[in-house]
């Protein structure tokens, strides 16, 4: 390197010996579920990584440590041993490392990319938003913005993009939730497995039915693209299940959180309504502030030192991007929802080779279509003082109730 | 070795010697050059590795591919019709032994 300003990697610099990983035995799942952010704050202040007995993982909470993991798949593998996601959904691209991962990822082609969104999906997002906005209006003031609008809207968008022309948006919601529950079934509850396995079979059957139909009558959908590719059926099935699980709840949740945050911060709401080009900023701040996927797994392939902390080979990690996105080392006043904050890249869409394949679908469907339509068509949209909104979750976090009023 | 120079808006300059085959994005990220993010790790999917190539080098660059082209419409700072490229899609070596780029003010 012939550089003057980049002096931070000179060989003379001494790195201190790695410290042992601290144990956070005070963390409980119930507390995390209710409100993880005070817990993350305390953890981040203590160390970038903790062993958390209640979670049975090392939880990584600093921005720099999460960022390092995302960009080093040789040391931090996505192909986790004993992964419940593999059991619930099959071995998808999300649990593979390169080069195997890249084969699957490339099989998605251009379907989720900006050009396809502009040419094909945007119009469908607009139609679907009209449909479910009409349903919300029919339910009348007091309706729940998540369950009467955001959830069916996100599900119907995903159904059409994926090419499940033989299923309903309700099927998509059921498949998504039951298989996600399987992915999180650490308690090994047989009822949870039964529901998850039933969805597993239903999705396989739906794919088996659609592939020949789409081979005969191709369209712009994911399944149609996959039908024309020499990709093993097993991979198609696993990737479709992972995408059902990863492409529905997240846009639903960021939509709910963005509306809630704007309604709860009237100054920022007025600012966005006066300048609707700010909706993408509100979206980006909502996804930073409450990352819909709060934690995802990785596993070390060898002994390593992460931000000064020693981790043994085979360590099962939780990459807590929900905490990284509120790291004060990176974001000023990180606990505040502030659409005017200095723009800093957040980690809500992950990073590196598993960077979310649906990023632009989420941005377009939520920031360009749903948020502007909701605020334009529901005059004086506001929270319901008698029925409080509820935010919950930590591995996945969003609004579980968002009753709203309008004039 | 190939040489790449990053010019920042405030006049600061980073010059790196990198092995042929290294992308502009990878060179910047692994050496901590500020202003280049590379969120998607080089898949032409995030548009956070945007650079403006200095005019003297435009003639020797490879063509802009379809994925790069659509992503260049998604950059935080405006696309320059001639000079904008994704750093992850431009690789040093093979006829491109030196390169100078301007780093945009914002990537997100
Ligand atoms: C705001 C909405 C969304 C958020 C916050 C989000 C977040 C994420 C994150 C954090 C990952 C990486 C997880 C990991 O590395 O383990 C990911 C991967 C992925 N997401 Fe999303 N996602 C969203 C919407 C979507 C949508 C709408 C789709 C589909 C249409 C989608 C499809 C995918 C796929 C296929 C992957 C796997 C990529 C790979 O393994 O290479 N996501 N997403
Ligand atoms: S690194 Fe993401 S587009 Fe270049």
């Amino acid at each position: 390197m012939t550089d003057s300003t980049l002096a931070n990697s000179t060989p003379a610099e001494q790195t201190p010996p790695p410290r042992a990983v601290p144990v956070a035995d005070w963390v409980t799942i119930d507390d995390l579920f209710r409100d993880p952010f005070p817990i993350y704050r305390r953890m981040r202040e203590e160390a970038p990584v903790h062993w958390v007995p209640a979670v049975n993982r090392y939880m990584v909470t600093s921005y720099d440590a999460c960022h390092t993991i995302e960009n080093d798949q040789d040391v931090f593998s996505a192909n986790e041993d004993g992964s419940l996601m593999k059991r619930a959904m099959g071995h998808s691209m999300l649990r593979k490392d390169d080069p195997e991962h890249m084969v699957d990822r490339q099989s998605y082609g251009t379907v989720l990319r900006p050009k396809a969104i502009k040419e094909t999906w945007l119009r469908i997002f607009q139609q679907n938003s009209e449909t479910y906005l009409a349903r919300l209006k029919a339910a009348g003031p007091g309706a729940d913005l998540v369950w009467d609008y955001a959830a069916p809207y996100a599900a119907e968008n995903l159904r059409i993009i994926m090419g499940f022309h033989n299923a309903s948006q309700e099927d998509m919601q059921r498949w998504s939730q039951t298989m996600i529950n399987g992915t999180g079934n650490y308690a090994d509850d047989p009822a949870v497995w039964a529901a998850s396995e039933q969805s597993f079979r239903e999705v396989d059957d739906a794919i088996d039915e659609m592939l020949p139909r789409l081979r005969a009558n191709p369209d712009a959908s994911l399944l149609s693209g996959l039908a024309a590719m020499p990709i093993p059926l097993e991979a198609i099935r696993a990737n479709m299940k992972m995408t059902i699980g990863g492409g529905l709840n997240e846009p639903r949740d960021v939509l709910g959180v963005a509306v809630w945050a704007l309604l709860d911060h009237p100054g920022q709401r007025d600012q966005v309504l006066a300048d609707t080009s700010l909706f993408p900023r509100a979206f980006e701040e909502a996804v930073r502030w409450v990352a819909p996927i709060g934690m995802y797994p990785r596993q070390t392939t060898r002994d390593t030192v992460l931000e000064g902390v020693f981790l043994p080979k085979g360590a099962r990690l939780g990459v807590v991007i929900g905490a990284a996105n509120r790291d004060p080392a990176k974001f000023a006043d990180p606990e505040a929802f502030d659409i005017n904050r200095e723009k800093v890249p957040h980690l809500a869409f992950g990073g590196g080779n598993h960077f979310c394949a649906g990023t632009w679908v989420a941005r377009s469907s939520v920031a360009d279509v749903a948020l502007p339509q909701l605020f334009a068509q529901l005059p004086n949209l506001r929270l319901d003082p008698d029925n409080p909104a509820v935010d919950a979750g930590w591995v996945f976090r969003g609004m579980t109730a968002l009753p709203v009023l309008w004039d | 070795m190939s040489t790449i120079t990053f010019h920042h808006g405030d006049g600061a300059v980073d010059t790196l010697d990198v092995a042929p085959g290294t992308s502009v994005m990878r060179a910047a990220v692994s050496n901590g050059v500020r202003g280049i993010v590379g969120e998607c790790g080089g898949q032409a999917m995030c548009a956070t590795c945007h650079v403006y190539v200095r005019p003297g080098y435009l003639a020797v660059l490879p063509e802009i591919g379809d994925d790069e082209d659509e992503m260049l419409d998604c950059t935080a700072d405006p696309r320059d019709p001639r000079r904008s490229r994704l750093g992850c899609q431009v690789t040093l070596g093979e006829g491109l032994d030196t390169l100078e780029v301007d780093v945009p003010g914002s990537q997100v």
Side-chain angles (χ1 to χ4, degrees), chain A residues 93-95 101 105 108 112 158 242-243 246-247 250-251 254 283 287 292-293 296 298 321 348-350 353-358 361-362:
Chain A
M93 66 174 93
L94 198 56
R95 290 288 170 274
H101 158 265
R105 173 100 183 197
Y108 275 28
L112 305 176
L158 190 66
M242 178 272 291
T243 304
E250 293 73 18
V254 66
F283 170 90
V287 83
I293 296 180
Y296 60 75
R298 291 291 186 268
I321 50 177
F349 289 113
N353 60 333
H354 293 282
F355 179 73
C356 176
V361 168

Side-chain angles (χ1 to χ4, degrees), chain A residues 256-368:
Chain A
V257 167
V259 171
W260 179 58
L262 286 172
L263 296 182
D264 203 34
H265 296 79
Q268 296 183 53
R269 178 203 58 202
D270 292 348
Q271 190 190 347
V272 173
L273 293 185
D275 176 3
T276 54
S277 74
L278 292 174
F279 275 117
R281 284 198 80 153
F283 170 90
E284 226 55 53
E285 174 61 353
V287 83
R288 176 202 73 85
W289 189 54
V290 179
I293 296 180
M295 180 178 98
Y296 60 75
R298 291 291 186 268
Q299 182 171 318
T300 54
T301 58
R302 60 181 88 129
D303 290 358
T304 190
V305 176
L306 179 62
E307 297 287 310
V309 176
F310 175 79
L311 292 172
K313 175 180 176 181
R316 283 153 57 89
L317 312 182
V319 184
V320 191
I321 50 177
N325 275 357
R326 294 192 183 202
D327 187 338
K330 203 75 187 175
F331 302 94
D333 194 11
E335 309 289 339
F337 176 83
D338 178 8
I339 62 168
N340 297 307
R341 68 172 54 255
E342 189 196 336
K343 290 190 192 170
V344 175
H346 60 70
L347 303 183
F349 289 113
N353 60 333
H354 293 282
F355 179 73
C356 176
T359 304
W360 299 96
V361 168
R363 286 185 173 139
S364 167
S365 61
V366 177
D368 297 342

